[in-house]
Each structure stands twice: as structure tokens, then as C-alpha cells.
Amino acid sequence: MYKISPTISGLTAALENNDREFCRKLLSEAGTLRDRTVGGKVYLRGLLEISSICRKDCFYCGIRCSNGNASRYTLSDEEIISASQFAFKEGYGSICIQSGERCDSDFTSRISRLVRAIKDISDGSLGITLSLGEQSYDTLLEWFEAGAHRYLIRIETSNPDLYARLHPQDALHSFDRRLNVLQDLRSIGFQVGSGVMIGLPFQSCRDLAGDLLFLKEFDIDMVGMGPYIPHPGTPLGKECLSALSIPTAEERLSLSLKMVALLRLLMPDINIAATTALEVLDPRGREKAIAAGANIVMPNISPARVRAGYDLYEGKRNLTESPALGEIEIGYNQWGDSLRFKSRV
Ligand code: 5AD
């Protein structure tokens, strides 16, 4: 294997290197390392998208509050419990509850109630990950005490200037606030997940190398990162479909797979998800990410009636709920917690 030094320049050079043989070796080496560290099994998290209502206005995201064409829905308690029951019966081991961002007390106390109810139907055995945006310390603590043990919130990009170009300039969309939430999650005791989008406009390989080092320095437990997919109903998406240039779909796929592989080499014992957005660019995108070192898959368990409504990016509504996992061994009925987390606490 070519030596990759875990520095900005070493990682940038690896991301910029498009030599076929280099890329093939990098991905396969990371896959082998995954087998030796976290093991060859892939763990499942049933992904339940409980609401597409969002108070944020991120320039890239299809469910941003100013997108008047987005369809808005909220699942009922019954729908959420029955989807959780389905995941439990199927042996998924854990679920991930995701939603557009809301911070009102109706929403936050409903989540606490639901977390307890889901724990009840599974005798405490179904693991619960939350992915509900930026919340106050007290809310996060309340959810942790209700029984959620993992939380996902992407940093989107570790470059504050790039972050500022992707979000409105106001207190609701602050890079520092996002960082503070990551710190709060860590101090409360959650297993903390984060991640970035890959192939954004104005994003360089150096930025992506910085993202890898950011995840390493934060000592993150879990990562989900995937290609940026322009959404025509968003300001950034419109610009990308006209004037702004971004890497081609093929380049974004290849960059995403290399990011997974390099992160596995940098952080051998964390959990890395093979993300859904990869599948938009390649029907075998998630399998390829697994071969390159990912060990988590999040099959969609949202009821069919709302699938199209959680429309973060173009092409998502047409996806099947789970990838063909073929030969891949699955860790049924297990939480598949991050080994990195276990060794830290
Ligand atoms: N392309 C790819 N990923 C996106 N997300 C939102 N919009 C897009 C898009 N257009 C991702 C963000 C967010 C997660 C829920 O979805 O990274 O954190």
C-alpha cells in the first residue's frame, strides 16, 4: 500500500489522486482493515423519518422551511410505534428517529414519550438513535434519560467559511452552535455521530481532508457522510443546475468512497454508515461503501405514504428502502455499538 500520512497534505494528495490502481488498493485495504477491527458484519438501523417540518432554511436541503413545494407530514404515534415494532421483529437491533428540526415543547416532550414507549415494546432491547437537529442541553439530556443512547448531527463541513456559504447568516444557522451541540452530546454521554457532504460547490479536496481530521480530532464515535445531490427546489441546487460547478456524479461517488476508506484508515474502530445518498449516484453505491470500510446500513422503515415527503435531495423519493446486501453478513438483533465509544468510556 502507498503510504498515506494522516495530515492535511497527505490526505489531500490521496483525495486528489485519481490513479485507478491507487484508488482500488485504498478501498480494498480499508475494507480489510474494517474486517480486522470492527469485524466483517454490517449492523442495521431502521430509519424512521417522523416529520418533514423544519424550522431551518439550509440552502441545499429540500425540506428547508422556505421550500413551498415540499410536502409536509408528521407521523402519528401509532405509525411510529408500529414501524418500531416492525424493525424489532425483523431483528434490526436498533432504529434511528430522524426529523426536520423543531424545538417547541410539544415536539420535545413528544419525543421523550415516544422513546419510552419504544423502549417498552421491546423490553428495552431496541437501541434508539436520534437525529433531530440542534437542541438545548436540557432537551438532549431529557431524551438521553428517556433511553436514547446515540445521536447523529452532521457538521456538514468543518470549514466555517464554507458552512457560512451554505446557510443563512443568522443565529439559527451558526457553525459554532453546531459545534456546541456536538460537545453537549458528548458530555451528556451519548454515542456521538457526525458527518459531512461531499462534492459541494466551493469545496476543495483540502476541505475534505480537513473534515477527516476534524472527525478524528473530535474523536467521533459514528460517521455518516455522502455525496451532495443538488435539489432543484433549493437555492444552491438551482445554482448547481445552472451556473455553479460541482464535481460530476462519478467524481462525487468516487470521492465519497475514498472519504469512507480514508476515515476507516484514520479511525479503525468507529462505526461508518454506507449512506443512502450514495445510492442516488450508483444503484450499488451502498455495497461499494461497505467494501470500502463502512459497517452500518440504515434501511428506511418510514411508512410508504410519507416516503416521498422526506425529500432532502433529488432522486431520493425513487429509492428502494434497503440495498441488496447479497453476500454481506448482518448482525441481527444486536446494537452494533461503536467500539471506539466502548473503549473511551
Ligand atoms: N444532498 C445530500 N445530502 C443532503 N442533506 C440535506 N440536503 C442534502 C443534499 N441536497 C443531508 C445533510 C443533513 C442530512 C439529514 O441530509 O447532511 O444533515
Side-chain angles (χ1 to χ4, degrees):
M1 182 63 201
Y2 308 81
K3 183 90 186 103
I4 293 164
S5 84
T7 57
I8 271 282
S9 53
L11 295 166
T12 305
L15 288 166
E16 283 172 346
N17 188 340
N18 288 319
D19 179 75
R20 277 182 83 101
E21 196 49 23
F22 168 78
C23 295
R24 196 189 59 73
K25 278 200 181 139
L26 172 63
L27 304 193
S28 86
E29 187 139 326
T32 308
L33 181 63
R34 188 269 325 280
D35 291 348
R36 287 214 320 268
T37 53
V38 294
K41 279 188 199 162
V42 160
Y43 298 93
L44 304 178
R45 284 84 175 86
L47 179 63
L48 193 46
E49 298 153 334
I50 64 166
S51 174
S52 61
I53 298 172
C54 191
R55 65 180 193 142
K56 288 271 177 86
D57 215 10
C58 310
F59 296 149
Y60 46 85
C61 184
I63 66 166
R64 68 198 300 267
C65 62
S66 324
N67 182 5
N69 292 321
S71 87
R72 307 290 173 178
Y73 70 86
T74 300
L75 295 184
S76 68
D77 288 5
E78 294 68 36
E79 284 173 312
I80 294 171
I81 300 294
S82 99
S84 307
Q85 227 137 16
F86 167 83
F88 182 51
K89 287 208 200 87
E90 294 291 305
Y92 281 12
S94 57
I95 58 166
C96 174
I97 297 180
Q98 192 173 85
S99 169
E101 190 173 296
R102 269 181 65 182
C103 301
D104 54 285
S105 62
D106 281 354
F107 179 80
T108 61
S109 51
R110 177 170 186 236
I111 296 295
S112 298
R113 253 191 301 113
L114 284 166
V115 168
R116 281 194 215 93
I118 294 165
K119 281 285 169 190
D120 277 351
I121 58 154
S122 66
D123 280 330
S125 71
L126 196 59
I128 303 179
T129 305
L130 299 180
S131 178
L132 305 171
E134 292 172 16
Q135 302 288 342
S136 70
Y137 183 93
D138 291 345
T139 297
L140 295 171
L141 181 63
E142 183 181 310
W143 291 347
F144 184 73
E145 287 174 344
H149 75 301
R150 299 191 279 237
Y151 202 98
L152 308 177
I153 182 157
R154 288 185 176 178
I155 190 74
E156 314 296 357
T157 169
S158 64
N159 176 341
D161 298 327
L162 180 53
Y163 193 95
R165 301 177 85 156
L166 304 175
H167 299 94
Q169 289 311 290
D170 59 28
L172 205 56
H173 297 85
S174 133
F175 179 81
D176 291 336
R177 167 105 176 87
R178 185 65 63 103
L179 270 184
N180 287 339
V181 171
L182 282 169
Q183 297 290 359
D184 286 349
L185 291 165
R186 169 64 48 83
S187 70
I188 288 169
F190 278 103
Q191 287 179 50
V192 186
S194 195
V196 297
M197 287 180 286
I198 299 162
L200 290 160
F202 321 113
Q203 187 183 46
S204 63
C205 284
R206 204 180 165 80
D207 289 327
L208 291 169
D211 292 341
L212 294 171
L213 292 176
F214 169 87
L215 297 167
K216 169 97 180 155
E217 270 151 36
F218 188 85
D219 197 19
I220 205 80
D221 302 305
M222 322 177 280
V223 172
M225 54 187 176
Y228 166 61
I229 317 267
H231 187 299
T234 63
L236 198 70
K238 283 197 181 83
E239 285 186 70
C240 289
L241 298 167
S242 57
L244 264 184
S245 96
I246 55 168
T248 64
E250 204 184 328
E251 287 163 344
R252 276 175 285 144
L253 175 69
S254 140
L255 269 177
S256 301
L257 296 174
K258 282 163 80 178
M259 286 287 284
V260 166
L262 290 167
L263 186 66
R264 176 59 70 199
L265 299 182
L266 276 177
M267 305 189 76
D269 58 353
I270 64 169
N271 279 346
I272 304 179
T275 54
T276 318
L278 280 165
E279 208 109 316
V280 176
L281 301 185
D282 180 340
R284 297 193 48 224
R286 285 193 278 191
E287 285 167 85
K288 288 181 180 174
I290 292 165
N295 68 325
I296 302 290
V297 167
M298 301 169 75
N300 196 325
I301 57 166
S302 306
R305 77 163 178 96
V306 301
R307 284 287 167 84
Y310 204 77
D311 185 26
L312 302 178
Y313 42 79
E314 177 77 341
K316 183 174 184 290
R317 63 178 71 223
N318 303 320
L319 293 177
T320 54
E321 76 252 45
S322 53
L325 289 173
E327 306 287 286
I328 295 160
E329 199 190 337
I330 298 181
Y332 284 110
N333 297 304
Q334 293 170 55
W335 284 9
D337 277 335
S338 164
L339 294 185
R340 181 85 214 123
F341 178 81
K342 286 189 186 158
S343 68
R344 181 169 353 89
V345 295

